[in-house]
C-alpha cells in the first residue's frame, strides 16, 4: 500500500524497525518461494490460492489491529506466507486449465488480460488509498480484509485441472519431488535459457524502479503528481501485457527477445544521459516492455514444463529473479553513493549490456526460433 510507511511512522516505529519488517518479508519470500510451489503441485493449486488469501486476510487484520511493532511483525510474517502460496500458482492454474481444454494457444491472451485488469485495479488503488487514508487510517486495511474475504470465497469455486492428474505424486517426499524438478530444469536447456533471459531482464527493470523517484525529481516533476504518474505506469504495464498476444504472428520468439533486450538496454542508457521531461520517454517505454516481456516468457516457459512440476519450476524462476534483484539492489545502491543516480545508470547500462552479451553468446542457441504460435 502506498501509505504503509506513513502508517508505521504514525504508530511510532523507527526506520530500523521498518527495515526489519521489510527484511522479514524478503527473507520469508526467499525461504518459502520454492516450497510454496511444491505445495501447490503436490496438494492442489486451488488449495494453495485459498491459503494465500487466508494469510492475506490475516495480514490486513493485524495491520488493522496494529499499534505496535509486534502486530506489524506478525502481519509481515503473514504477508510472506501469503506470497509463498500464490507465487507461480495463478500462472500454473491458468495454463493447466487451458491445457485441459486444449486451448493453450490462448494463454498469452488470457494471462495478458488478467495482468492488464490487475494493473488497472492497482492504478485505482494508488490513486484512492491515500484519499481513503486521509479520512481514516484504519479504513484501507478494513477494505483489504473485505477484499481477501472475497478472494477466499472465490477460491472455493475454482476447479482443480484434471490434466495429467495421474502424474501427481502426493506421496513423494518433498525433497525428492524438489530434486526431480531441479533435475528436469537443469537438463531442459530451452527452459533454463528462458528463465535466465526472462528473469534477468525483469530483475534489471525492477531494480530501476527504486530510482524512479530520484529521476522524477531530476526531471522537475512536482511530488504531488507522483501518484498520478505511478498509476499511469501500472496502466502501461497492463497495456504491454494486453497486446503481447497480438504480436505473436509478426516475429520469431528469438528475434523478439533480442529486440526487447536491445530496446531495454537503450532505455537504460537514456536514463543515464537525458534530463528534464525527456526522462519520461525511457520510463514509459520500460513500463510497456516489462508488461510485454513477462507474458511472452511465461508462455514459452509453460510450454516446456510438465504439469506435475509447473508451479514448482515457476517458483524456482521467481526465486532466481528475487535473488538477482537483491544482489543488483545492493550493488547499485553502493554505486549510487559514489556516482549519483544518473552515474549509477551508466554503470547499470554497461553491466546489463555485458551480461546480456554473455548470456546470448552461451544460451541464445537454445531459444525457440519459430514464430510464437501454438
Amino acid at each position: 500500500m502506498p501509505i504503509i510507511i506513513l502508517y508505521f511512522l504514525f504508530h511510532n516505529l523507527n526506520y530500523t524497525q521498518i527495515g526489519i519488517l521489510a527484511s522479514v518479508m524478503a527473507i520469508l519470500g526467499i525461504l518459502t518461494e520454492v516450497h510454496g510451489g511444491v505445495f501447490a503441485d503436490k496438494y492442489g493449486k486451488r488449495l494453495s490460492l485459498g491459503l494465500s488469501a487466508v494469510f492475506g486476510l490475516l495480514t490486513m487484520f493485524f495491520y488493522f489491529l496494529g499499534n505496535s511493532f509486534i502486530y506489524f511483525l506478525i502481519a509481515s510474517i503473514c504477508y510472506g506466507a501469503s506470497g509463498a502460496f500464490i507465487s507461480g500458482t495463478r500462472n500454473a492454474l491458468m495454463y493447466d486449465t487451458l491445457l485441459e481444454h486444449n486451448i493453450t494457444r490462448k494463454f498469452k491472451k488470457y494471462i495478458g488480460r488478467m495482468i492488464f485488469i490487475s494493473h488497472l485495479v492497482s492504478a485505482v488503488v494508488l490513486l484512492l488509498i491515500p484519499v481513503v487514508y486521509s479520512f481514516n487510517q484504519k479504513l484501507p486495511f478494513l477494505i483489504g480484509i473485505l477484499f481477501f474475504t472475497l478472494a477466499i470465497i472465490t477460491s472455493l469455486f475454482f476447479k482443480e485441472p484434471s490434466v495429467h492428474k495421474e502424474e501427481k505424486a502426493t506421496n513423494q517426499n518433498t525433497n525428492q519431488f524438489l530434486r526431480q524438478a531441479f533435475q528436469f530444469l537443469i537438463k531442459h536447456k530451452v527452459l533454463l535459457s528462458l528463465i535466465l533471459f526472462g528473469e534477468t531482464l525483469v530483475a534489471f527493470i525492477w531494480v530501476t524502479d527504486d530510482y524512479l523517484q530520484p529521476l522524477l525529481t531530476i526531471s522537475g516533476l512536482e511530488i504531488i503528481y507522483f501518484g498520478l504518474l505511478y498509476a499511469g505506469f501500472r496502466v502501461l504495464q497492463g497495456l504491454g501485457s494486453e497486446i503481447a498476444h497480438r504480436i505473436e504472428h509478426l516475429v520469431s520468439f528469438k528475434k523478439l527477445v533480442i529486440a526487447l533486450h536491445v530496446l531495454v538496454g537503450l532505455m537504460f542508457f537514456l536514463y543515464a544521459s537525458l534530463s528534464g521531461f525527456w526522462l519520461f520517454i525511457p520510463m514509459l517505454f520500460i513500463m510497456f516492455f516489462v508488461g510485454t516481456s513477462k507474458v511472452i516468457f511465461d508462455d514459452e516457459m509453460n510450454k516446456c514444463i510438465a504439469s506435475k512440476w509447473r508451479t514448482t519450476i515457476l517458483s524456482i524462476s521467481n526465486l532466481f529473479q528475487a535473488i538477482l534483484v537483491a544482489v543488483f539492489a545492493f550493488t547499485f545502491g553502493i554505486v549510487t553513493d559514489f556516482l549519483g543516480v544518473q552515474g549509477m545508470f551508466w554503470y547499470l547500462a554497461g553491466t546489463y549490456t555485458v551480461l546480456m552479451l554473455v548470456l546470448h553468446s552461451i544460451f541464445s542457441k537454445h531459444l525457440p526460433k519459430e514464430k510464437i504460435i501454438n
Side-chain angles (χ1 to χ4, degrees):
M1 285 190 176
I3 46 77
I4 194 66
I5 302 301
L6 296 178
Y7 187 69
F8 290 155
L9 293 173
F10 178 81
H11 288 288
N12 299 315
L13 269 66
N14 56 44
Y15 283 102
T16 298
Q17 292 173 314
I18 293 172
I20 291 172
L21 296 179
S23 298
V24 166
M25 287 187 283
I27 292 170
L28 274 174
I30 290 175
L31 293 179
T32 61
E33 178 85 44
V34 176
H35 285 85
V38 173
F39 180 93
D41 281 331
K42 292 187 67 176
Y43 302 108
K45 300 170 182 65
R46 172 186 168 183
L47 175 60
S48 186
L49 288 176
L51 288 173
S52 175
V54 168
F55 280 107
L57 186 149
L58 290 173
T59 301
M60 292 296 119
F61 178 73
F62 283 108
Y63 278 147
F64 179 77
L65 291 183
N67 57 14
S68 67
F69 176 75
I70 294 300
Y71 279 100
F72 300 138
L73 179 61
I74 296 173
S76 297
I77 293 171
C78 291
Y79 181 86
S82 177
F85 283 111
I86 203 171
S87 177
T89 307
R90 290 171 300 184
N91 191 323
L93 178 63
M94 178 177 289
Y95 196 89
D96 278 342
T97 300
L98 296 175
L99 182 61
E100 182 176 355
H101 293 86
N102 197 30
I103 50 172
T104 54
R105 65 187 180 279
K106 295 186 177 181
F107 175 75
K108 282 189 293 294
K109 178 180 179 179
Y110 291 145
I111 195 71
R113 184 70 49 81
M114 183 184 78
I115 294 172
F116 178 55
I117 293 172
S118 70
H119 281 307
L120 282 180
V121 173
S122 176
V124 172
V125 168
L126 281 170
L127 291 172
L128 294 184
I129 288 297
V131 177
V132 174
Y133 181 80
S134 67
F135 284 103
N136 187 308
Q137 293 177 334
K138 297 288 186 179
L139 191 54
F141 306 106
L142 181 59
I143 294 173
I145 290 172
L146 295 175
F147 169 81
F148 281 109
T149 300
L150 179 61
I152 293 171
I153 295 172
T154 302
S155 71
L156 298 176
F157 293 93
F158 286 152
K159 180 183 177 183
E160 188 74 25
S162 60
V163 63
H164 294 172
K165 184 174 280 187
E166 69 277 4
E167 294 183 356
K168 294 184 71 171
T170 55
N171 59 335
Q172 267 190 314
N173 177 276
T174 297
N175 290 332
Q176 181 184 6
F177 185 90
L178 186 56
R179 183 169 61 253
Q180 289 180 353
F182 267 110
Q183 289 172 348
F184 175 84
L185 171 58
I186 296 301
K187 291 179 181 178
H188 202 306
K189 299 301 181 184
V190 174
L191 178 59
L192 183 62
S193 300
L194 289 168
I195 290 175
L196 289 172
F197 281 115
E199 300 301 358
T200 301
L201 174 68
V202 174
F204 268 101
I205 293 175
W206 285 150
V207 169
T208 62
D209 273 4
D210 294 334
Y211 299 93
L212 289 186
Q213 292 179 20
L215 281 178
L216 289 171
T217 302
I218 293 172
S219 74
L221 185 71
E222 295 183 26
I223 294 177
I224 59 173
Y225 297 114
F226 280 22
L228 184 62
L229 188 63
Y230 270 78
F233 287 162
R234 294 293 186 275
V235 174
L236 269 176
Q237 289 178 35
L239 284 173
S241 301
E242 169 67 17
I243 73 157
H245 74 281
R246 300 179 186 276
I247 61 174
E248 62 185 9
H249 64 285
L250 299 178
V251 64
S252 70
F253 178 81
K254 185 174 181 179
K255 290 180 179 178
L256 183 58
V257 169
I258 293 173
L260 277 171
H261 286 164
V262 171
L263 289 170
V264 169
L266 176 61
M267 295 306 111
F268 288 156
F269 280 110
L270 291 178
Y271 274 151
S273 56
L274 295 179
S275 60
F277 280 86
W278 290 107
L279 282 166
F280 291 125
I281 295 175
M283 287 182 190
L284 298 177
F285 276 104
I286 284 285
M287 294 303 161
F288 184 82
F289 291 152
V290 72
T292 303
S293 63
K294 182 65 176 171
V295 171
I296 64 170
F297 275 104
D298 281 355
D299 181 58
E300 290 296 323
M301 285 167 55
N302 273 295
K303 292 177 185 177
C304 301
I305 305 172
S307 292
K308 64 177 179 179
W309 292 316
R310 192 177 308 282
T311 315
T312 300
I313 291 178
L314 291 175
S315 295
I316 292 171
S317 178
N318 291 337
L319 175 62
F320 175 65
Q321 181 195 126
I323 293 172
L324 283 181
V325 169
V327 172
F328 291 162
F330 177 75
T331 304
F332 297 147
I334 295 174
V335 173
T336 304
D337 284 335
F338 285 96
L339 302 179
V341 174
Q342 289 194 285
M344 181 279 298
F345 271 106
W346 282 112
Y347 178 85
L348 182 148
T351 303
Y352 170 87
T353 301
V354 171
L355 184 55
M356 285 302 175
L357 287 174
V358 171
L359 286 177
H360 274 281
S361 67
I362 300 173
F363 294 100
S364 181
K365 60 185 177 182
H366 299 300
L367 291 174
K369 298 180 176 63
E370 72 278 1
K371 289 187 178 181
I372 314 171
I373 293 179
N374 292 341

